[in-house]
Amino acid sequence: MYADDETLRRILTSTGDTWAVVGLSGNRSRAAYGVAAVLQRFGKRVVPVHPKAETVHGEQGYASLAEIPFPVDVVDVFVNSELAGPVADEAVTIGAKAVWFQLGVIDERAYERTRAAGLEMVMDRCPAIEIPRLG
């Protein structure tokens, strides 16, 4: 509903390979940890963004998107829907090309703002599911 297969495929294959994963920590029981590992297996550079700024999957973590000292292509959001809008706004501010809200993360106003700013946007989807599905 919030992205067609063409948009999903474009974000996954040609938008860029640096993905900031907001909510990614060293907690192996969290979905973000496993999804980040899948993204890495498919050639993405995963940048953890979490208040703890932990190194995860061999990548230096940062406390916020604004602290990342290099360009980010896609911001993958693993926070509650109530917190997701400000993350999408920050993604626009740092010049990301796309924002991806994970399964269950929905903020229609953030979707509209992000699209209006010219970014690709996906909501309520998981790249670890979409990558194998789209081949």
Side-chain angles (χ1 to χ4, degrees):
M1 180 158 114
Y2 299 108
D4 58 26
D5 284 354
E6 181 181 320
T7 301
L8 295 169
R9 191 173 281 112
R10 190 169 46 250
I11 292 171
L12 291 167
T13 62
S14 60
T15 298
D17 290 334
T18 301
W19 285 52
V21 181
V22 179
L24 175 58
S25 71
N27 184 342
R28 293 170 183 262
S29 67
R30 304 289 300 190
Y33 190 90
V35 171
V38 170
L39 288 169
Q40 277 188 325
R41 277 200 310 276
F42 282 92
K44 307 301 181 192
R45 178 181 185 189
V46 171
V47 182
V49 179
H50 189 278
K52 293 180 181 178
E54 298 174 277
T55 296
V56 183
H57 297 305
E59 288 285 347
Q60 167 68 48
Y62 298 90
S64 70
L65 290 172
E67 292 180 20
I68 301 172
F70 46 82
V72 169
D73 300 308
V74 181
V75 175
D76 189 4
V77 183
F78 278 93
V79 299
N80 295 339
S81 295
E82 299 79 41
L83 304 173
V87 175
D89 296 338
E90 192 175 1
V92 171
T93 299
I94 67 162
K97 298 173 189 165
V99 176
W100 190 301
F101 282 8
Q102 284 291 324
L103 289 173
V105 181
I106 299 172
D107 181 332
E108 290 170 1
R109 291 182 22 227
Y111 181 88
E112 294 301 325
R113 288 193 311 272
T114 303
R115 294 292 296 133
L119 281 70
E120 298 264 32
M121 176 88 185
V122 174
M123 284 197 307
D124 196 26
R125 292 287 188 73
C126 179
I129 294 169
E130 300 303 331
I131 290 170
R133 185 181 73 80
L134 294 170

